Amino acid sequence: MSITQGTSVRGTWAGPLIATVVTLPAALFAYVIGSLTPMACDSCNGAEAEHFTRRFDTGFTILQVGLLTSLALLLVSWGLPQTEENVARRALFAVLAPGTVLFSLLLFTGMVPSPN
């Protein structure tokens, strides 16, 4: 039996489902960490506070864009048709979603300086 182009393939929902179960809690965790980070510099003042605020604003914007990108990747992985030619694409988007959350969080933590 050969699969013709456009034939529906069973089980392609597993990748997006696993990615969703991993990505959404990880994104929530990353967002909470990012949101609580300004409290680390409560005792900062003057130039140190200004430097931290500039870096935090840039880093938090990048974190938010990364989290929205991971959500978009999840939606694409669910939205692609369950056909033979989309099996690899669905898996790729499913893997990229949690990877984007991790990359965004690492980029954020690398950009925001730790107060002295």
Side-chain angles (χ1 to χ4, degrees):
M1 178 174 128
S2 67
I3 297 176
T4 60
Q5 194 170 15
T7 302
S8 182
V9 178
R10 295 182 57 174
T12 58
W13 53 268
L17 179 63
I18 293 168
T20 301
V21 169
V22 171
T23 301
L24 294 181
L28 178 64
F29 175 76
Y31 189 78
V32 168
I33 292 297
S35 298
L36 293 177
T37 300
M39 292 185 349
C41 197
D42 280 346
S43 62
C44 300
N45 55 27
E48 184 183 14
E50 185 178 324
H51 174 68
F52 180 84
T53 302
R54 274 197 317 268
R55 298 294 299 259
F56 172 78
D57 290 343
T58 304
F60 195 64
T61 300
I62 289 173
L63 178 65
Q64 289 175 328
V65 168
L67 295 180
L68 288 174
T69 302
S70 69
L71 179 63
L73 290 168
L74 273 181
L75 291 174
V76 169
S77 72
W78 279 108
L80 285 171
Q82 295 184 16
T83 58
E84 178 68 27
E85 60 268 4
N86 287 327
V87 170
R89 287 185 198 113
R90 285 175 67 100
L92 176 66
F93 286 119
V95 169
L96 286 176
T100 304
V101 172
L102 180 63
F103 179 73
S104 300
L105 184 60
L106 290 175
L107 193 60
F108 171 76
T109 56
M111 290 188 71
V112 177
S114 60
N116 295 333

Short mmCIF file of all heavy atoms in Angstrom, two decimals, residues 40 50-51 73:
data_model
loop_
_atom_site.label_atom_id
_atom_site.label_comp_id
_atom_site.label_asym_id
_atom_site.label_seq_id
_atom_site.Cartn_x
_atom_site.Cartn_y
_atom_site.Cartn_z
N ALA A 40 14.92 42.83 41.46
CA ALA A 40 16.31 42.60 41.83
C ALA A 40 17.08 43.90 41.97
O ALA A 40 18.12 43.94 42.62
CB ALA A 40 16.99 41.71 40.79
N GLU A 50 19.52 53.40 36.10
CA GLU A 50 19.22 53.79 34.72
C GLU A 50 19.75 52.75 33.73
O GLU A 50 19.06 52.38 32.78
CB GLU A 50 19.85 55.16 34.43
CG GLU A 50 19.49 55.70 33.07
CD GLU A 50 20.08 57.08 32.86
OE1 GLU A 50 20.15 57.87 33.82
OE2 GLU A 50 20.49 57.34 31.71
N HIS A 51 20.96 52.26 33.99
CA HIS A 51 21.54 51.24 33.12
C HIS A 51 20.70 49.96 33.18
O HIS A 51 20.40 49.35 32.15
CB HIS A 51 22.98 50.95 33.56
CG HIS A 51 23.63 49.82 32.83
ND1 HIS A 51 23.95 49.89 31.49
CD2 HIS A 51 23.99 48.58 33.25
CE1 HIS A 51 24.49 48.74 31.11
NE2 HIS A 51 24.52 47.93 32.17
N LEU A 73 4.41 29.59 16.50
CA LEU A 73 4.92 28.30 16.04
C LEU A 73 4.00 27.16 16.45
O LEU A 73 3.78 26.21 15.69
CB LEU A 73 6.34 28.06 16.56
CG LEU A 73 7.43 28.94 15.95
CD1 LEU A 73 8.71 28.83 16.75
CD2 LEU A 73 7.66 28.58 14.51
#
